[in-house]
Amino acid sequence: QLQLVESGGGLVQAGGSLRLSCVASGRAFGNYNRAWFRQAPGKERELVAAIVWSGGATAYADSVKGRFTISKDNAKNTVYLQVNSLKPEDTAVYYCAAGAGPIWSAAAYAYWGRGTQVTVSS
């Protein structure tokens, strides 16, 4: 199995920043692509950022372009999400995921972390 553990969430004021981390266990699935999703209460899960593990190409949802940055450290099996200029509407549980398919296809992600809460106050 591939186990993913997120960290770095918290309570911040509007305009603030956080750096989320997601560590994957083992090396068996080291080449799987990675992504960050978020889900707010009463709303559908949203794919916000994704990255090709081997090459580093990235993709972002329109709602976060220019504010969020996904990056990775292959040697540490870790993917990061730098979230800047946070808005109250960014409040959600943020999940990392891994999969072998196209990075901008939610169906490609078969492995999920438990999530980390990001709360942005007005």
Side-chain angles (χ1 to χ4, degrees):
Q1 66 173 351
L2 178 64
Q3 187 170 7
L4 305 170
V5 180
E6 304 97 333
S7 62
L11 173 63
V12 299
Q13 296 181 354
S17 299
L18 290 170
R19 186 184 185 224
L20 311 182
S21 299
C22 176
V23 179
S25 65
R27 300 286 183 179
F29 307 102
N31 290 328
Y32 276 26
N33 298 323
R34 309 292 164 87
W36 287 93
F37 292 76
R38 67 184 181 185
Q39 187 166 28
K43 296 184 179 180
E44 294 184 351
R45 183 179 57 196
E46 178 186 18
L47 174 57
V48 298
I51 189 165
V52 176
W53 195 251
S54 296
T58 60
Y60 298 92
D62 289 342
S63 59
V64 306
K65 285 182 179 178
R67 299 188 298 120
F68 291 10
T69 303
I70 188 170
S71 61
K72 62 184 176 68
D73 186 330
N74 297 63
K76 296 181 178 180
N77 281 327
T78 301
V79 63
Y80 305 94
L81 187 68
Q82 179 70 38
V83 295
N84 297 329
S85 302
L86 286 165
K87 306 173 182 179
E89 51 263 45
D90 294 319
T91 295
V93 177
Y94 284 71
Y95 301 90
C96 66
I103 62 170
W104 207 251
S105 173
Y109 298 97
Y111 301 94
W112 295 79
R114 294 179 180 178
T116 185
Q117 176 72 47
V118 173
T119 302
V120 185
S121 62
S122 300

